[in-house]
Amino acid sequence: PFQTLTAPAPFADETSCQCRAPHEKLTIAQARLGTPADRPVRVYADGIFDLFHSGHARALMQAKTLFPNSYLLVGVCSDDLTHKFKGFTVMNETERYEALRHCRYVDEVIRDAPWTLTPEFLEKHKIDFVAHDDIPYSSAGSDDVYKHIKEAGMFVPTQRTEGISTSDIITRIVRDYDVYARRNLQRGYTAKQLNVSFINEKKYRFQNQVDKMKEKVKNVEEKSKEFVYKVEEKSHDLIQKWEEKSREFIGNFLELFGPDGAWKQMFQERSGRMLQASSPRQSPNSSPTRGRSPSRSPSPPWVFNKASPPSSPKAASASLSSMSEGDEDEK
């Protein structure tokens, strides 16, 4: 088992390793109890194994783990035998042999395995049991090619994996033939290699060009959607910032020019100052007034009476001194 994980399984006709222990016939009960290390239970599984898939691997895993100590031999039929009894294969025999050699559950591969197991073949390879699914396999004129193995008590059934088989894979390829043909033409395969006619080749190449154009249009649409999304996101951010700035501007405007704003208070203060500066200062009502003659208005002190000029210089100076005193009183 350790060797199968580090190197491909050997071919039966290329190895000198043979089972040297006496080949006593084992029952299934004895095999399930376990055998000595030098006497593993030799289990044989055969098949075509075309397009090797997980269903094949799971069947071999079951065959390998049927008993505690087992050695799994896998027989693979050749192309001639397969084409004769079953039909054409996708993989040739060499490819199928190599696929089995690299399965971790396989201990030994037998090339060109027989279609029907004979006692001579079972004795040659010291086979204890044959593992296969329990569905009768009709072929080569027989209703069940494993009938005589079952009657001898050497048959151990395995379970099929539903949903996967070589026929299912081939059916998918046939169903989607145009898709695969177009893909391989695009990858560089020629129409001759694909067995495609001249008209179909031109049709496939035209369809490839159409698909390329569709892909370009799809990429442009995706980029356009991405661009529109970015523009919408930026627009949303700009609108949100504009709303914040507008609210801030309106708040500042109301603080300055509102009913109780700073501008109104400043205007009122300036208006009061201007009114105070433009209005004259009134004299107090209790200030004394000089008695004046109600009959005539007082004449200015500098108007001299022409009829009575001063008789002498002393009189003139006395008159001037009295005028100045009168002015001081008025002040």
Side-chain angles (χ1 to χ4, degrees):
F2 181 77
Q3 184 182 7
T4 60
L5 295 177
T6 57
F11 291 118
D13 54 354
E14 292 182 355
T15 179
S16 59
C17 180
Q18 299 292 335
C19 180
R20 296 183 177 88
H23 188 254
E24 304 93 354
K25 187 173 179 60
L26 296 173
T27 64
I28 294 178
Q30 291 174 337
R32 286 177 177 171
L33 290 175
T35 56
D38 60 346
R39 175 60 172 92
V41 180
R42 295 174 68 84
V43 180
Y44 176 80
D46 61 354
I48 309 302
F49 301 105
D50 191 19
L51 296 174
F52 188 78
H53 51 75
S54 61
H56 294 141
R58 289 179 64 86
L60 297 177
M61 179 187 69
Q62 295 177 58
K64 177 67 176 177
T65 58
L66 285 171
F67 308 108
N69 182 22
S70 62
Y71 185 87
L72 180 61
L73 300 92
V74 178
V76 183
C77 300
S78 64
D79 286 344
D80 293 339
L81 202 59
T82 304
H83 298 167
K84 178 180 179 181
F85 290 107
K86 190 169 184 178
F88 190 72
T89 58
V90 178
M91 301 169 64
N92 59 43
E93 60 184 24
T94 303
E95 294 170 337
R96 293 185 285 115
Y97 296 154
E98 290 297 324
L100 266 298
R101 291 186 69 195
H102 292 85
C103 178
R104 63 183 299 176
Y105 311 112
V106 178
D107 295 305
E108 187 176 314
V109 174
I110 301 176
R111 294 183 288 191
D112 192 14
W115 196 260
T116 303
L117 300 179
T118 62
E120 293 77 16
F121 178 82
L122 298 175
E123 180 62 28
K124 176 182 177 181
H125 295 281
K126 310 296 184 183
I127 296 171
D128 293 310
F129 300 100
V130 176
H132 199 273
D133 62 81
D134 202 15
I135 301 174
Y137 193 82
S138 59
S139 180
S142 174
D143 294 335
D144 188 0
V145 294
Y146 297 104
K147 182 179 179 180
H148 64 288
I149 303 295
K150 295 176 181 178
E151 292 175 350
M154 299 175 62
F155 186 84
V156 184
T158 58
Q159 299 296 322
R160 294 178 62 91
T161 302
E162 297 297 332
I164 183 69
S165 67
T166 302
S167 299
D168 292 339
I169 296 174
I170 294 175
T171 301
R172 297 177 203 171
I173 296 173
V174 173
R175 180 190 61 196
D176 301 326
Y177 169 77
D178 290 347
V179 176
Y180 296 125
R182 288 166 51 190
R183 183 189 66 181
N184 287 352
L185 282 173
Q186 193 173 4
R187 291 182 176 180
Y189 288 89
T190 64
K192 184 177 180 181
Q193 289 175 319
L194 298 173
N195 196 24
V196 173
S197 65
F198 176 80
I199 296 176
N200 286 335
E201 177 189 4
K202 298 304 178 184
K203 181 183 72 173
Y204 294 150
R205 295 191 183 279
F206 176 75
Q207 289 175 344
N208 287 336
Q209 294 296 328
V210 172
D211 290 343
K212 287 182 180 180
M213 291 299 298
K214 289 181 179 179
E215 189 68 23
K216 289 182 179 179
V217 172
K218 184 179 178 180
N219 292 335
V220 171
E221 289 179 353
E222 291 178 354
K223 290 181 179 179
S224 301
K225 290 179 181 179
E226 184 178 358
F227 175 74
V228 171
Y229 175 76
K230 289 182 178 179
V231 170
E232 290 178 352
E233 187 177 8
K234 291 291 183 182
S235 301
H236 179 72
D237 294 340
L238 290 174
I239 291 172
Q240 187 176 2
K241 291 180 180 179
W242 182 83
E243 290 177 351
E244 293 175 357
K245 291 293 183 181
S246 62
R247 285 194 294 267
E248 182 180 355
F249 175 78
I250 294 172
N252 294 336
F253 182 84
L254 292 176
E255 288 180 1
L256 187 62
F257 298 102
D260 298 327
W263 177 260
K264 181 178 180 181
Q265 296 177 1
M266 183 176 64
F267 180 76
Q268 290 176 353
E269 291 177 359
R270 290 186 178 181
S271 299
R273 291 177 184 175
M274 291 176 64
L275 290 173
Q276 185 178 1
S278 62
S279 61
R281 191 172 185 181
Q282 297 181 358
S283 60
N285 295 328
S286 60
S287 61
T289 57
R290 296 182 61 187
R292 293 185 177 88
S293 174
S295 60
R296 61 177 184 176
S297 62
S299 59
W302 58 81
V303 180
F304 300 102
N305 190 356
K306 294 181 180 181
S308 58
S311 59
S312 62
K314 292 182 178 180
S317 61
S319 176
L320 288 171
S321 62
S322 63
M323 290 171 57
S324 62
E325 290 175 359
D327 291 338
E328 290 176 357
D329 294 337
E330 288 182 0
K331 293 178 181 178

